[in-house]
Amino acid sequence: MTDPRLNAIGRFSASTEMSPRQVLEKPELLTLPPKLTRVYLTDLGNVPEDGIVQAAVRLHDAGLVPVPHMAARRYDSLAAFDRRLRRLVGEAGVREVLAIAGETDTPGPLTSSVDMLETGLFDELGIERIAIAGHPEGAPEIPEATIRAFLMRKHELASQSDAHFHIVTQFGFDPHRVNLWLDEIAAWGNRFPVHIGVAGPAKITTLLKYAAFAGVENSLAFLKKRGGAVVSMLSGYDPETMIAPLEARIRTRPQCQLEQIHVYPFGGLQKTAQWLLERGSWSFQPPHTRSNSIEVAQ
């Protein structure tokens, strides 16, 4: 019997992400993902609110599912957070969000994703699905005990919410480390489904830049040690080396919390989309897992 998290050829479904500027300046990119695909809308603090809301509208109108990043520390007041979320819901039909702490030199009153969740505004405005961040390789400057406490607090808040929660992780290149982390958070008591972050096909020089920025140099070092069978300066990175062992985990350990992959299109969305179509991760519509979640092509 086939696991519902994998399609007929044993592939995960996949979400991806775009920046507001990509959405607004390159409308042709919106035709690449299949309809109802989740597209996370990044917020690096360099696009004004109007641009973010407009980009979410464009994604929605293109038949995609916008999942805007809600970065707690970037709101200079509770009123600013309230206004942003109300606009996204009211103008762009947003029903899913990614709740993260975010980075800024001058944080406002909200300093973590837990702070945002505790306002109750996501439930008040009918958000149906909330993604939270996961870090298989650890988070710089955050002790493990703090990460564990925050995850357990999010479980408490989820039990009081109508929304469906899941974890979406930073990208990495070491499937063994991901497996260890999945076991670790399960031992903590994690019950949230996990969407594992994967770098799409890209040049090594590109991955080096993003890996340094994201703090996953150790994982990239592991990948480089694997030699020419995995990666070379000429052929670039093959994401299958990361994904295949995780799809195998589903088959051998069906009770695990893996649900799908989230692909970071570092090599460009067009290249990533072509690869996802060829591997079969964008060729089917998986069933929704909860009655209050939108049925999407993840």
Side-chain angles (χ1 to χ4, degrees):
M1 181 175 173
T2 302
D3 191 294
R5 292 168 292 182
L6 301 176
N7 68 2
I9 59 172
R11 303 301 199 188
F12 279 128
S13 58
S15 55
T16 191
E17 60 185 51
M18 296 177 67
S19 71
R21 286 176 177 167
Q22 284 178 306
V23 173
L24 297 175
E25 297 173 7
K26 299 180 179 181
E28 66 276 9
L29 295 179
L30 304 186
T31 65
L32 297 176
K35 301 294 185 183
L36 299 179
T37 297
R38 284 193 187 99
V39 179
Y40 288 67
L41 188 61
T42 62
D43 178 8
L44 300 178
N46 57 358
V47 176
E49 181 175 290
D50 284 346
I52 292 173
V53 173
Q54 186 179 3
V57 171
R58 295 274 184 91
L59 288 170
H60 181 273
D61 289 351
L64 303 169
V65 177
V67 186
H69 289 199
M70 303 297 294
R73 295 172 183 162
R74 297 214 178 96
Y75 304 113
D76 58 14
S77 66
L78 291 174
F81 168 58
D82 183 292
R83 182 185 67 244
R84 172 76 62 86
L85 187 58
R86 287 183 188 277
R87 290 193 63 190
L88 287 167
V89 170
E91 298 176 36
V94 164
R95 293 295 180 269
E96 305 192 22
V97 298
L98 170 62
I100 56 175
E103 297 293 338
T104 183
D105 294 332
T106 56
L110 301 170
T111 61
S112 69
S113 55
V114 167
D115 286 346
M116 285 193 296
L117 293 169
E118 288 178 339
T119 67
L121 193 62
F122 291 129
D123 273 325
E124 180 184 331
L125 296 184
I127 294 299
E128 297 173 350
R129 192 168 185 124
I130 299 172
I132 60 172
H135 300 275
E137 298 182 36
E141 302 179 359
I142 304 177
E144 182 179 291
T146 301
I147 295 174
R148 179 174 181 172
F150 270 57
L151 180 59
M152 292 301 97
R153 176 58 180 152
K154 289 168 185 174
H155 277 75
E156 292 174 0
L157 292 165
S159 70
Q160 304 162 19
S161 171
D162 292 330
H164 172 63
F165 282 61
H166 69 268
I167 297 171
V168 60
T169 78
Q170 182 57 273
F171 67 95
F173 306 97
D174 183 352
H176 177 65
R177 176 65 195 126
V178 169
N179 280 322
L180 291 175
W181 174 78
L182 287 167
D183 291 339
E184 181 178 46
I185 63 172
W188 292 354
N190 176 61
R191 300 185 303 277
F192 296 151
V194 177
H195 299 187
I196 290 293
V198 177
K203 295 179 180 178
I204 294 305
T205 51
T206 301
L207 294 181
L208 285 169
K209 178 180 69 174
Y210 284 106
F213 176 77
V216 296
E217 296 98 325
N218 289 340
S219 184
L220 185 58
F222 159 83
L223 181 149
K224 291 166 69 177
K225 288 178 183 177
R226 295 286 299 276
V230 176
V231 63
S232 75
M233 296 301 287
L234 293 176
S235 63
Y237 169 60
D238 179 5
E240 296 299 335
T241 61
M242 176 71 171
I243 301 172
L246 300 178
E247 289 174 336
R249 181 183 173 107
I250 289 286
R251 301 184 194 98
T252 59
R253 300 177 61 180
Q255 77 281 5
C256 79
Q257 292 146 329
L258 274 175
E259 187 170 72
Q260 64 160 83
I261 54 175
H262 174 69
V263 182
Y264 295 83
F266 298 138
L269 189 60
Q270 187 165 1
K271 185 174 184 179
T272 295
Q274 183 62 36
W275 165 70
L276 284 168
L277 286 169
E278 289 175 355
R279 85 176 306 271
S281 283
W282 270 359
S283 64
F284 74 110
Q285 304 286 329
H288 62 278
T289 56
R290 297 286 181 89
S291 60
N292 64 351
S293 61
I294 301 172
E295 185 170 348
V296 298
Q298 309 301 321

